[in-house]
Amino acid sequence: MCTQCEKRFIQKSHLDNHKLTHSGEKLYSCAECGKSFSSPNNLIHHNYLHTGRYKCTECGKCCGSNKQLAEHRRGHLGEKPFECSVCSKRLKTIYSLNQHSRIHSGEKPYKCHVCDKAFRVSGQLTKHMRVHTGEKPFTCQVCGKAFRLSGTLNIHMRVHTGEKPYNCHVCGKAFSTTYCLFSHMTVHTGDKPYTCSVCNKVFARNSGLYSHKQRVHSDRRVHSDTYLCSYCGKQFKRNGLLQLHVRIHTGAKSYPCQHCSASFIRPDTLKRHLL
């Protein structure tokens, strides 16, 4: 029996492999894509994704096992045979039901061995461990920037594609993230939810509060409320403007064009180039 989550196994080797899901260790890597796994069985099932052994005839998705394929097909059929005894929510798999049940029980069996933070599901622990390891497995194919989470990479890709899926229902303006849309809505509502802990000044956006603290209360200020370029002495009211300016001296071009080899210092210059 696993002493952390009380799951039971027939063989000790199966228990040893299972314990790796709690520690976050992933010793088995896929030769095809480099993805790592906590047990050899998980790696074997993952390899079926590449070979297409268990492929959905409905949508073409490849699964890691016949069981996963059967569970996947329930999505096409709309089947949700497992019901939560607490809130009556219906789920497709027993695994999903077990994970969901922890919302009600408060159980968090997956514990980080570095900082002791606990999680409801093993996937959350896997993502959390990258905070400690510095691992960034998701890389942008356009500019090479790397991310810890696939969702963060998807959001980043909108910088290159120009996609803005979130629309303001008041004025129709579009945004690339829900956070940007939320910040924009304060223009219409007049809300200023961000308060400076030093002087109690309020702001509509968190970025405005951050900028205020840097200009007015931070020790990084130069003179009264300016930031000084160490190369030429030019002054700026915001640190972000200073960082953009410094690239003129360093020659750093962080914004590449996905259509040609050209790169640019500023994002607005890249946008003009793309047009």
Side-chain angles (χ1 to χ4, degrees):
M1 186 180 76
C2 173
T3 55
Q4 287 192 256
C5 66
E6 297 185 357
K7 190 172 183 180
R8 292 181 176 275
F9 301 88
I10 296 172
Q11 297 180 24
K12 185 179 182 297
S13 59
H14 293 169
L15 171 61
D16 292 338
N17 285 331
H18 166 77
K19 283 181 177 179
L20 293 173
T21 64
H22 293 296
S23 68
E25 290 183 77
K26 294 189 173 183
L27 307 177
Y28 306 94
S29 298
C30 173
E32 188 82 18
C33 66
K35 192 172 182 181
S36 299
F37 299 88
S38 58
S39 74
N41 278 340
N42 288 343
L43 175 58
I44 290 170
H45 290 310
H46 166 78
N47 283 329
Y48 292 145
L49 301 179
H50 298 300
T51 61
R53 180 173 178 177
Y54 301 103
K55 191 173 184 178
C56 176
T57 55
E58 188 87 15
C59 66
K61 182 178 179 178
C62 295
C63 298
S65 68
N66 195 40
K67 180 183 176 182
Q68 288 179 6
L69 178 59
E71 291 171 348
H72 166 77
R73 282 174 174 162
R74 289 176 189 156
H76 296 299
L77 300 173
E79 294 178 3
K80 292 184 178 181
F82 302 98
E83 183 177 335
C84 174
S85 59
V86 179
C87 66
S88 299
K89 183 175 181 179
R90 303 193 69 86
L91 300 114
K92 289 191 295 183
T93 67
I94 188 66
Y95 177 74
S96 299
L97 176 61
N98 290 336
Q99 286 189 333
H100 166 80
S101 296
R102 292 174 190 149
I103 295 174
H104 304 298
S105 67
E107 182 190 4
K108 294 183 177 181
Y110 300 98
K111 198 172 185 179
C112 173
H113 67 278
V114 179
C115 67
D116 287 338
K117 192 171 183 179
F119 301 89
R120 283 192 296 109
V121 297
S122 59
Q124 291 173 341
L125 173 61
T126 300
K127 293 174 182 177
H128 166 78
M129 288 306 298
R130 294 172 190 154
V131 174
H132 302 298
T133 63
E135 181 190 5
K136 294 183 178 181
F138 304 100
T139 304
C140 174
Q141 298 302 310
V142 179
C143 66
K145 192 171 182 180
F147 302 89
R148 289 202 307 267
L149 305 175
S150 60
T152 311
L153 171 60
N154 292 336
I155 292 173
H156 164 79
M157 287 305 297
R158 295 170 190 159
V159 173
H160 304 298
T161 63
E163 181 189 5
K164 294 182 178 181
Y166 304 101
N167 290 71
C168 172
H169 68 276
V170 179
C171 65
K173 191 172 182 180
F175 300 89
S176 59
T177 66
T178 52
Y179 174 77
C180 291
L181 174 59
F182 172 79
S183 297
H184 163 78
M185 289 306 296
T186 59
V187 173
H188 301 299
T189 63
D191 291 339
K192 293 185 177 181
Y194 302 100
T195 305
C196 176
S197 58
V198 181
C199 66
N200 292 325
K201 189 173 181 179
V202 293
F203 300 86
R205 299 184 182 183
N206 191 38
S207 58
L209 171 60
Y210 176 80
S211 178
H212 162 77
K213 284 184 173 181
Q214 293 295 316
R215 292 199 316 270
V216 179
H217 303 299
S218 175
D219 292 335
R220 291 165 62 190
R221 286 182 299 148
V222 178
H223 304 310
S224 59
D225 61 346
T226 57
Y227 291 87
L228 188 68
C229 174
S230 58
Y231 290 90
C232 66
K234 190 172 182 180
Q235 296 178 7
F236 298 86
K237 286 190 175 182
R238 290 192 311 219
N239 187 43
L241 295 175
L242 170 60
Q243 297 307 317
L244 276 176
H245 165 79
V246 165
R247 292 174 188 161
I248 297 173
H249 300 294
T250 62
K253 295 183 177 181
S254 306
Y255 302 93
C257 173
Q258 65 264 41
H259 302 292
C260 69
S261 59
S263 296
F264 302 89
I265 293 172
R266 299 172 61 94
D268 53 341
T269 312
L270 171 60
K271 286 181 179 179
R272 287 198 296 271
H273 167 80
L274 288 172
L275 291 173

